[in-house]
Amino acid sequence: MKLESRAPTGPLADKWNSHRFNVKLVAPQNRRKFDIIVVGTGLAGASAAATLGEAGYNVKSFCFQDSPRRAHSIAAQGGINAAKNYRNDGDSVHRLFYDTIKGGDYRAREANVHRLAEISVQIIDQCVAQGVPFAREYSGLLDNRSFGGAQVSRTFYARGQTGQQLELGAYQALARQVEAGTVDLYTRHEMLELVVTEGRAAGIVVRDLVTGEITSHSAHAVVLATGGYTNVFFLSTGAKGCNTTAIWRAHRKGALFANPCYTQIHPTCIPVSGDYQSKLTLMSESLRNDGRIWVPKDANDRRSPGTIPESERDYYLERIYPSFANLVPRDVASRAAKRMVDAGFGVGDLKNGVYLDFGTAISRLGRATIEARYGNLFEMYANITGEDPYAVPMRIYPAPHYTMGGLWVDYNLMSNLPGLYVIGEANFSDHGANRLGASALMQGLADGYFVLPATISEYLAGQLGQPSPDPAGSAFKEAEGAVRERVGRLLGIKGSRSVDWFHRRLGRTLWEHCGMGRNADGLKTALADIGSLREEFWNDVRVLGDGESLNQSLEKAGRVADFMELGELLCQDALHREESCGGHFREEHQTPDGEAMRDDENFAYVAAWEFKGEGKPAELHKEELEFEYVHPSQRSYK
């Protein structure tokens, strides 16, 4: 299988505009003849469904929450990047492009990343027009702050709840189209199968999570906007409902899964406090603008942080990376924190964190300023830990947060399966091996508001005059039968162990052997352990209830079953990639000072995997990456 990115030729800055002109169009009067399914209602899914509906297409929107606005995009805190250069500090579209390519450790397509940087300036205008309450300076202009991996201020924000405000804007646009009749909304429905006919995506099979009814829906095109898969680690910053099922079902039907081992560990999360935990809490990267990260210079220093003098503190990011200091990219900051804790310098009762200290900023700017910038984040931290971060430093430690891997897509955001589009975090396309902070919201809205609506017509134009597939056809009946068989199988095991027991075991294995650090022996151990655990799951899991009603035990079981298979692919991908890059850190491949060491000669490609059967190794396909405008070099933030 040869992977064609379909990235346009010509000068980099002209590619997107040239491509949009050359894409086949669907005339306004013909759009109502096409049906499109959009799965997921986060920033990517809600913006896509709203924009496609407003354009005149017939759209069906699906989410498993009780309301579209409960998608996990609301959890994003710190901000959204855009190359507006409001601070006149040297920012530009090209600098955002460069920072993103470099931050992703030179493992992303140049054409996609430059398009993202171009569209970033339009996103802000779109969201302001929708009424998103971005922070403003005294003059009334939109305010900016810095994020990791950049030396400019380009991040627009709404205190520590930027994702929620952007999601409400997209939700309102979606609700308007629901009211107008261009979008049919299906809440509390979970996609459990992709239907493929004659090699094309033709629809989906869903389960009504309230009644248990299994139904089919057909369309000319299917769009997956279902987010990432960090919950494969069990403990992560993702909502408990976040899962991989939609994209994994598509993968099993032939869609290639690209770079699964590129998982991002966020450096500023509240440390684990005990075995009872089932979720971790993110503290926004924006806190690193004014918070300084340190540990005691004496590993045995057990004094309270306020009594440790400056001379006895190691502000290690400022020491090691003076140019970027506390705003190094997430992968760099996370590994540095791990090194300090592993060396015995951890803080807190469990010695499993480092300090994020606002004392200097409060002394310089005053408490009121810090409260205006981060107040809700400080309140959240105090509620969870019982500690006042205005008086004592926060304790933080890295945790699984985002996934750069996902289904492979071309420049049009279409997978290798014709008619199947994948947008937002569910695809692999824009971040390489490490996502810069504040770029997830940017990509989700770029894909949904601007890219997909401009490119999906290229595929649909060729189907003009063709009705959408018959949902009563044999392919749909076969897919429904597979879903019912799977549900029945899970309910029929009646084993002795809970779904969470298996999920926790899987997560511990992956965190230990395929987390922040990976090596060949550990990955081989993980593959063996996950294979055994998967077999045990299908023989001893206990799923309560039935399939004809609300059954969260059944929901979780199906998702964890898919996580088992994904976990194996994640380890297979990490084992094959004999280099370190971004969030993928193979301990055998590091520089003398402990930084990631790439192998551009042998691994400058996208690893796209084809499903070959349960329990069987996936088959590797490669998309070679070419760099015309940014020359790959050893990343340095010193």
Side-chain angles (χ1 to χ4, degrees):
M1 183 186 303
K2 182 174 175 56
L3 296 180
E4 298 285 353
S5 71
R6 295 185 176 84
T9 57
L12 185 65
D14 297 336
K15 288 180 185 290
W16 175 230
N17 282 333
S18 173
H19 186 71
R20 282 192 300 171
F21 178 77
N22 289 309
V23 163
K24 296 176 183 176
L25 298 179
V26 175
Q29 69 272 19
N30 286 330
R31 293 173 194 161
R32 67 180 68 95
K33 301 173 183 177
F34 290 105
D35 302 320
I36 302 174
I37 286 172
V38 180
V39 186
T41 57
L43 288 180
S47 60
T51 307
L52 292 169
E54 188 159 9
Y57 295 105
N58 301 312
V59 179
K60 287 185 177 181
S61 172
F62 293 83
C63 69
F64 62 68
Q65 297 90 350
D66 57 355
S67 167
R69 65 180 180 273
R70 291 176 64 87
H72 192 54
S73 294
I74 64 167
Q77 297 168 345
I80 177 171
N81 287 330
K84 287 284 197 181
N85 194 31
Y86 282 175
R87 292 290 183 90
N88 195 30
D89 56 359
D91 200 13
S92 65
V93 167
H94 191 78
R95 187 174 295 278
L96 176 53
F97 157 74
Y98 172 81
D99 287 346
T100 305
I101 288 284
K102 177 183 176 183
D105 223 348
Y106 308 95
R107 290 294 177 262
R109 276 193 211 128
E110 283 190 331
N112 283 65
V113 177
H114 197 276
R115 175 175 66 185
L116 180 64
E118 290 177 63
I119 290 174
S120 70
V121 298
Q122 299 171 261
I123 294 171
I124 301 304
D125 296 338
Q126 169 93 358
C127 294
V128 169
Q130 289 177 333
V132 173
F134 288 120
R136 294 182 181 268
E137 298 175 331
Y138 178 75
S139 65
L141 295 176
L142 298 183
D143 197 10
N144 293 126
R145 54 192 179 199
S146 298
F147 259 59
Q151 291 179 304
V152 298
S153 294
R154 65 163 67 102
T155 304
F156 296 78
Y157 65 96
R159 295 186 77 189
Q161 50 187 236
T162 313
Q164 183 180 40
Q165 298 303 324
L166 293 171
E167 175 67 20
L168 288 173
Y171 167 70
Q172 289 174 128
L174 174 61
R176 179 173 176 270
Q177 295 307 313
V178 172
E179 176 66 22
T182 64
V183 177
D184 290 331
L185 179 63
Y186 295 81
T187 61
R188 301 307 299 267
H189 283 71
E190 182 170 24
M191 172 185 160
L192 295 181
E193 194 61 87
L194 176 75
V195 181
V196 178
T197 61
E198 299 179 350
R200 297 171 178 264
I204 62 175
V205 177
V206 298
R207 180 176 181 269
D208 185 319
L209 298 183
V210 177
T211 68
E213 183 183 11
I214 294 169
T215 56
S216 292
H217 299 263
S218 69
H220 292 91
V222 175
V223 181
L224 300 185
T226 51
Y229 50 87
T230 45
N231 271 358
V232 71
F233 290 98
F234 185 73
L235 284 178
S236 80
T237 66
K240 291 301 293 180
C242 294
N243 63 84
T244 191
T245 289
I247 59 174
W248 193 256
R249 295 288 104 193
H251 174 58
R252 289 177 63 107
K253 284 295 183 73
L256 300 183
F257 206 119
N259 301 333
C261 76
Y262 289 168
T263 54
Q264 181 169 78
I265 311 299
H266 197 294
T268 52
C269 300
I270 299 177
V272 175
S273 57
D275 290 338
Y276 57 85
Q277 266 187 274
S278 62
K279 189 185 181 310
L280 297 175
T281 302
L282 170 71
M283 300 307 297
S284 170
E285 182 179 323
S286 64
L287 296 170
R288 291 198 275 152
N289 275 275
D290 291 304
R292 302 177 69 194
I293 296 173
W294 64 277
V295 294
K297 289 183 177 179
D298 180 359
N300 297 313
D301 194 334
R302 306 300 290 169
R303 290 176 291 176
S304 62
T307 63
I308 300 176
E310 286 283 314
S311 61
E312 298 178 35
R313 301 179 179 187
D314 181 7
Y315 294 94
Y316 58 89
L317 291 179
E318 298 173 27
R319 170 174 57 84
I320 301 171
Y321 309 101
S323 292
F324 286 74
N326 294 296
L327 286 171
V328 293
R330 291 176 176 178
D331 61 324
V332 177
S334 293
R335 284 193 293 271
K338 183 178 187 295
R339 286 197 298 268
M340 301 309 293
V341 171
D342 289 351
F345 292 92
V347 302
D349 292 340
L350 300 179
K351 298 201 71 175
N352 65 344
V354 298
Y355 288 130
L356 178 61
D357 194 337
F358 291 85
T360 301
I362 291 173
S363 297
R364 178 170 55 90
L365 301 170
R367 172 168 171 156
T369 298
I370 299 302
E371 197 166 344
R373 292 176 179 175
Y374 314 110
N376 63 306
L377 297 172
F378 277 49
E379 292 169 11
M380 183 169 67
Y381 182 88
N383 288 336
I384 291 172
T385 65
E387 300 171 1
D388 179 5
Y390 293 104
V392 297
M394 291 181 179
R395 290 175 294 107
I396 58 169
Y397 192 69
H401 175 60
Y402 186 90
T403 53
M404 286 74 66
L407 294 188
W408 183 89
V409 292
D410 64 15
Y411 190 73
N412 288 337
L413 303 182
M414 188 165 74
S415 74
N416 60 293
L417 281 180
L420 177 66
Y421 289 79
V422 192
I423 61 177
E425 191 180 358
N427 74 29
F428 87 102
S429 67
D430 292 359
H431 306 299
N434 175 61
R435 178 178 67 86
L436 292 184
S439 289
L441 306 184
M442 177 173 61
Q443 186 212 346
L445 292 180
D447 286 357
Y449 280 136
F450 297 100
V451 181
L452 179 74
T455 60
I456 197 169
S457 59
E458 174 75 16
Y459 173 76
L460 294 177
Q463 297 191 67
L464 186 62
Q466 299 294 320
S468 58
D470 181 4
S474 59
F476 287 86
K477 294 306 178 186
E478 182 180 337
E480 285 186 22
V483 169
R484 290 190 173 91
E485 189 277 330
R486 192 163 184 258
V487 167
R489 184 181 175 193
L490 288 168
L491 290 168
I493 296 170
K494 301 187 185 303
S496 63
R497 298 194 183 277
S498 70
V499 176
D500 278 348
W501 184 90
F502 285 100
H503 195 182
R504 191 184 293 271
R505 283 277 304 275
L506 172 66
R508 285 176 176 171
T509 296
L510 288 171
W511 180 245
E512 180 178 353
H513 298 301
C514 200
M516 276 194 281
R518 299 142 184 213
N519 59 62
D521 289 341
L523 290 166
K524 291 174 184 176
T525 298
L527 281 168
D529 289 351
I530 296 171
S532 298
L533 187 66
R534 176 172 47 78
E535 185 176 349
E536 185 179 357
F537 172 90
W538 284 105
N539 285 283
D540 197 32
V541 71
R542 181 178 69 251
V543 180
L544 306 175
D546 57 45
E548 282 72 50
S549 61
L550 177 65
N551 188 343
Q552 292 186 317
S553 178
L554 175 60
E555 293 171 33
K556 288 195 293 185
R559 296 165 187 171
V560 171
D562 291 332
F563 276 143
M564 293 279 184
E565 296 179 9
L566 170 62
E568 290 179 292
L569 181 62
L570 202 159
C571 292
Q572 182 182 347
D573 186 37
L575 184 61
H576 115 276
R577 189 168 283 277
E578 291 279 358
E579 65 166 354
S580 292
C581 56
H584 168 63
F585 191 75
R586 281 289 296 270
E587 294 165 354
E588 305 96 325
H589 305 288
Q590 55 184 299
T591 64
D593 54 354
E595 303 293 348
M597 187 165 66
R598 293 192 323 273
D599 181 353
D600 293 330
E601 183 176 349
N602 295 304
F603 290 96
Y605 59 76
V606 176
W609 298 92
E610 181 181 358
F611 183 78
K612 303 302 288 186
E614 187 175 321
K616 297 179 181 179
E619 180 180 346
L620 174 64
H621 302 277
K622 299 178 182 179
E623 179 201 333
E624 301 292 339
L625 294 170
E626 299 178 1
F627 296 93
E628 299 180 60
Y629 296 88
V630 179
H631 181 67
S633 60
Q634 176 64 39
R635 271 200 310 165
S636 175
Y637 295 93
K638 296 182 177 181

